[in-house]
PDB file of all heavy atoms in Angstrom:
ATOM      1  N   HIS A1562      14.974   7.148   6.886  1.00  0.00           N
ATOM      2  CA  HIS A1562      15.769   8.043   7.737  1.00  0.00           C
ATOM      3  C   HIS A1562      17.014   7.290   8.217  1.00  0.00           C
ATOM      4  O   HIS A1562      16.907   6.237   8.852  1.00  0.00           O
ATOM      5  CB  HIS A1562      14.924   8.522   8.927  1.00  0.00           C
ATOM      6  CG  HIS A1562      13.839   9.468   8.513  1.00  0.00           C
ATOM      7  ND1 HIS A1562      12.581   9.454   9.055  1.00  0.00           N
ATOM      8  CD2 HIS A1562      13.854  10.466   7.593  1.00  0.00           C
ATOM      9  CE1 HIS A1562      11.855  10.418   8.493  1.00  0.00           C
ATOM     10  NE2 HIS A1562      12.603  11.037   7.602  1.00  0.00           N
ATOM     11  N   GLU A1565      17.727   5.905  11.908  1.00  0.00           N
ATOM     12  CA  GLU A1565      16.764   4.993  12.537  1.00  0.00           C
ATOM     13  C   GLU A1565      17.231   3.558  12.255  1.00  0.00           C
ATOM     14  O   GLU A1565      16.662   2.836  11.443  1.00  0.00           O
ATOM     15  CB  GLU A1565      15.356   5.292  12.015  1.00  0.00           C
ATOM     16  CG  GLU A1565      14.925   6.708  12.398  1.00  0.00           C
ATOM     17  CD  GLU A1565      13.639   7.192  11.724  1.00  0.00           C
ATOM     18  OE1 GLU A1565      13.012   6.422  10.977  1.00  0.00           O
ATOM     19  OE2 GLU A1565      13.285   8.368  11.957  1.00  0.00           O
ATOM     20  N   ARG A1607      19.604  11.561   9.781  1.00  0.00           N
ATOM     21  CA  ARG A1607      18.255  11.377   9.261  1.00  0.00           C
ATOM     22  C   ARG A1607      18.192  11.641   7.755  1.00  0.00           C
ATOM     23  O   ARG A1607      17.541  10.919   7.004  1.00  0.00           O
ATOM     24  CB  ARG A1607      17.347  12.359  10.016  1.00  0.00           C
ATOM     25  CG  ARG A1607      15.907  12.427   9.542  1.00  0.00           C
ATOM     26  CD  ARG A1607      15.187  13.478  10.396  1.00  0.00           C
ATOM     27  NE  ARG A1607      13.843  13.762   9.960  1.00  0.00           N
ATOM     28  CZ  ARG A1607      12.745  13.149  10.437  1.00  0.00           C
ATOM     29  NH1 ARG A1607      12.857  12.212  11.355  1.00  0.00           N
ATOM     30  NH2 ARG A1607      11.554  13.477   9.992  1.00  0.00           N
ATOM     31  N   VAL A1672       8.987   1.519   7.507  1.00  0.00           N
ATOM     32  CA  VAL A1672       9.427   1.337   8.893  1.00  0.00           C
ATOM     33  C   VAL A1672      10.209   2.568   9.338  1.00  0.00           C
ATOM     34  O   VAL A1672      11.101   3.044   8.622  1.00  0.00           O
ATOM     35  CB  VAL A1672      10.293   0.076   9.060  1.00  0.00           C
ATOM     36  CG1 VAL A1672      10.470  -0.240  10.548  1.00  0.00           C
ATOM     37  CG2 VAL A1672       9.681  -1.114   8.340  1.00  0.00           C
ATOM     38  N   HIS A1673       9.828   3.068  10.502  1.00  0.00           N
ATOM     39  CA  HIS A1673      10.502   4.212  11.114  1.00  0.00           C
ATOM     40  C   HIS A1673      10.685   3.930  12.606  1.00  0.00           C
ATOM     41  O   HIS A1673      10.319   2.878  13.111  1.00  0.00           O
ATOM     42  CB  HIS A1673       9.647   5.482  10.943  1.00  0.00           C
ATOM     43  CG  HIS A1673       9.646   6.038   9.550  1.00  0.00           C
ATOM     44  ND1 HIS A1673      10.513   7.024   9.133  1.00  0.00           N
ATOM     45  CD2 HIS A1673       8.869   5.754   8.470  1.00  0.00           C
ATOM     46  CE1 HIS A1673      10.269   7.317   7.860  1.00  0.00           C
ATOM     47  NE2 HIS A1673       9.270   6.557   7.425  1.00  0.00           N
ATOM     48  N   ALA A1674      11.222   4.910  13.311  1.00  0.00           N
ATOM     49  CA  ALA A1674      11.338   4.894  14.772  1.00  0.00           C
ATOM     50  C   ALA A1674      11.462   6.362  15.200  1.00  0.00           C
ATOM     51  O   ALA A1674      11.850   7.198  14.391  1.00  0.00           O
ATOM     52  CB  ALA A1674      12.568   4.100  15.197  1.00  0.00           C
ATOM     53  N   GLU A1722       6.158   2.182  13.330  1.00  0.00           N
ATOM     54  CA  GLU A1722       7.028   3.091  14.090  1.00  0.00           C
ATOM     55  C   GLU A1722       7.559   2.318  15.289  1.00  0.00           C
ATOM     56  O   GLU A1722       6.863   2.136  16.294  1.00  0.00           O
ATOM     57  CB  GLU A1722       6.230   4.312  14.568  1.00  0.00           C
ATOM     58  CG  GLU A1722       6.201   5.466  13.606  1.00  0.00           C
ATOM     59  CD  GLU A1722       7.451   6.359  13.699  1.00  0.00           C
ATOM     60  OE1 GLU A1722       8.309   6.109  14.564  1.00  0.00           O
ATOM     61  OE2 GLU A1722       7.549   7.302  12.892  1.00  0.00           O
TER      62      GLU A1722
HETATM   63 ZN1   ZN B1063      11.687   8.161  10.322  1.00  0.00          ZN
END
Side-chain angles (χ1 to χ4, degrees):
H1562 290 141
E1565 297 170 3
R1607 175 181 173 93
V1672 192
H1673 286 266
E1722 271 277 356

